[in-house]
Amino acid sequence: MLRRLAVASIVFTAACAGQQKTESAENGGKPQSTEERVRIGNQPAFDVATCFPRDLKLPPSNQGVLVGAMLTARPVVLECLVSPKSRGTAEKTVVTVKTTVTDAGATHAVSGDANLTPEGQQCIQAAVDKLVKPQPLAKGAAPVESTATFEHDTTNSATVTFGMNDGSDFSGEVRLAQQGWCDCYAGYQASTPPVLTSKVTLTKGQATPEVTFDPSGSTEGDQLAACLKQKMLALPAKSSMDKLTYPHRFVHFNSSATQPADNLDPQLRFFQLEVVRNQRAADAAIAFGARAAAAEAFEAAVAKYNKTKDFKLLDQLTSTCNAMVDAAKGWVSALEAQKAVDQDSVTLVQQLKATDAEGWAPVETASQTALTNTQQDLATAQARVDADQKACPKVSYNPKKK
């Protein structure tokens, strides 16, 4: 099951490729505006879940728990790599986090390829140290290790690059500052903010930009726009041109969303489902590990009882077995939640494929594979619940009548 977690990133990469093809086709042959001629960039999506990271209550440490726990940190790790200070000049950056848990506690060793800078390493180290806190092992237990790999690609991942032009540089400053504008997103901890479009004007000799926002279509969206506007006005601006006016588009995702993103267009809704799926996969891995830990506790109780035949241990047998069954049911629930997201993704991709069969066909294949894998894992978990229930001792405290 744990090896299948890689499918999520495969789906996301395929989707990015499809989206880029669609955007190129749509722009082909159209006259370019001023901002297109100067290539205004640096407006990648922002995952508001990085503002409100999950407060993990992890079960006893094992491989499943460590894999899932580190996967929950994916949004924050990738946010560290948005800044050009975190990356070198290569398109791809590969980061490895090795977690080691002993009876003394847990440590994370962050390393990367040659493209990961010291600033990037420090950002990721601080993030995983803060967010991923596995339980120490029992005294004398053998260490448990797990390695997580994160890949950032400037062609598919959220990226800021400075030095293109004044407009792109200001947009880059806005994007990097969003991580510090979390008060604006306080109302979106469980939902996905709308896409917002602003008009930015940079004037030569003026250190303050002019900013206006289009109506969002909702009171909450307009309130968010008003908050973001004040933040943007506080950023220093410069322009080598007499005046440059261009649109700055705020695209948002929320990995922690529990509500449907009906306010997004279909392509963006697919990406939103993907970031949520990563978190559902993390939940499933943690739940898998929780069931494994509960099974170990029950097996230890059985071994102790078989060795002593002490009837006083029957209560411990019963309680540890019930805990194992409950953990198995939690595993089932986590996989059911993941399956629901997988099914929504497949349905949406099939709709998108109708508009661009070539671009979305590989995404449909990857999405269907992810759904099939989850369905298989769910069947395994459901069978595990039945087996665990049958393993529990049938204890009766009522003497049989003669």
Side-chain angles (χ1 to χ4, degrees):
M1 173 195 155
L2 299 181
R3 291 193 298 269
R4 292 176 177 168
L5 294 181
V7 171
S9 61
I10 294 172
V11 174
F12 191 83
T13 300
C16 287
Q19 186 187 50
Q20 289 170 347
K21 176 183 181 300
T22 301
E23 291 174 347
S24 298
E26 289 176 351
N27 290 334
K30 292 184 179 180
Q32 289 186 317
S33 63
T34 300
E35 59 269 15
E36 288 171 331
R37 287 197 298 272
V38 296
R39 296 185 62 193
I40 301 298
N42 287 335
Q43 299 180 16
F46 175 59
D47 190 340
V48 300
T50 60
C51 281
F52 314 104
R54 298 175 60 175
D55 182 16
L56 293 178
K57 298 294 189 293
L58 296 175
S61 298
N62 55 33
Q63 280 286 329
V65 171
L66 297 185
V67 169
M70 193 56 65
L71 189 56
T72 66
R74 177 183 173 87
V76 179
V77 170
L78 293 182
E79 183 65 23
C80 282
L81 297 173
V82 174
S83 171
K85 293 181 179 180
S86 297
R87 298 173 279 104
T89 57
E91 288 187 353
K92 180 177 288 188
T93 306
V94 180
V95 178
T96 299
V97 182
K98 181 179 180 181
T99 302
T100 303
V101 186
T102 67
D103 55 9
T107 59
H108 306 296
V110 177
S111 60
D113 59 11
N115 208 49
L116 180 68
T117 66
E119 291 88 343
Q121 190 272 342
Q122 292 168 10
C123 179
I124 295 169
Q125 185 73 61
V128 296
D129 284 345
K130 179 180 179 180
L131 300 178
V132 183
K133 300 179 179 180
Q135 289 190 31
L137 300 178
K139 190 69 175 178
V144 176
E145 295 182 348
S146 178
T147 300
T149 301
F150 302 91
E151 293 189 4
H152 179 280
D153 191 320
T154 57
T155 61
N156 293 324
S157 308
T159 302
V160 166
T161 302
F162 289 116
M164 186 179 298
N165 54 63
D166 294 332
S168 292
D169 285 353
F170 183 74
S171 284
E173 295 291 355
V174 169
R175 175 59 183 82
L176 294 181
Q178 280 181 269
Q179 182 62 52
W181 296 350
C182 294
D183 54 315
C184 291
Y185 297 106
Y188 289 97
Q189 296 189 37
S191 59
T192 307
V195 174
L196 301 174
T197 300
S198 65
K199 184 172 73 172
V200 177
T201 298
L202 305 179
T203 303
K204 190 173 184 178
Q206 292 186 10
T208 302
E210 298 175 35
V211 180
T212 59
F213 273 82
D214 293 346
S216 70
S218 70
T219 300
E220 295 79 10
D222 290 342
Q223 290 172 343
L224 173 59
C227 185
L228 293 175
K229 177 180 177 179
Q230 294 305 311
K231 303 288 189 183
M232 294 172 73
L233 292 175
L235 293 176
K238 66 176 183 177
S239 177
S240 57
M241 301 173 62
D242 289 338
K243 181 170 288 190
L244 173 63
T245 299
Y246 68 92
H248 183 100
R249 189 167 177 249
F250 289 86
V251 177
H252 304 99
F253 298 130
N254 187 354
S255 297
S256 299
T258 57
Q259 302 173 18
D262 295 332
N263 56 336
L264 300 181
D265 66 36
Q267 284 196 8
L268 292 178
R269 196 157 68 247
F270 172 79
F271 289 118
Q272 168 60 24
L273 285 170
E274 281 302 295
V275 297
V276 170
R277 185 191 185 278
N278 271 281
Q279 296 303 302
R280 296 293 180 269
D283 292 339
I286 293 172
F288 171 81
R291 188 267 158 198
E296 288 182 7
F298 174 62
E299 290 167 1
V302 170
K304 186 175 181 180
Y305 176 78
N306 288 338
K307 182 177 180 179
T308 64
K309 301 300 181 182
D310 185 352
F311 74 92
K312 294 180 181 179
L313 296 175
L314 290 177
D315 285 344
Q316 183 182 5
L317 280 174
T318 300
S319 63
T320 54
C321 194
N322 288 339
M324 180 177 66
V325 172
D326 289 342
K329 290 179 179 178
W331 182 23
V332 168
S333 296
L335 286 168
E336 287 175 338
Q338 183 177 336
K339 177 188 170 185
V341 176
D342 288 341
Q343 184 61 68
D344 287 344
S345 294
V346 170
T347 300
L348 184 56
V349 169
Q350 289 171 343
Q351 296 172 4
L352 289 166
K353 185 182 173 185
T355 64
D356 178 13
E358 182 182 356
W360 286 95
V363 186
E364 180 186 27
T365 300
S367 297
Q368 186 60 60
T369 298
L371 174 59
T372 300
N373 288 340
T374 301
Q375 289 170 330
Q376 293 172 352
D377 289 338
L378 178 56
T380 298
Q382 290 168 332
R384 190 71 265 168
V385 170
D386 292 339
D388 288 350
Q389 288 174 329
K390 292 175 182 178
C392 288
K394 305 300 186 288
V395 179
S396 174
Y397 295 97
N398 297 319
K400 294 182 179 180
K401 295 180 179 180
K402 295 183 179 180

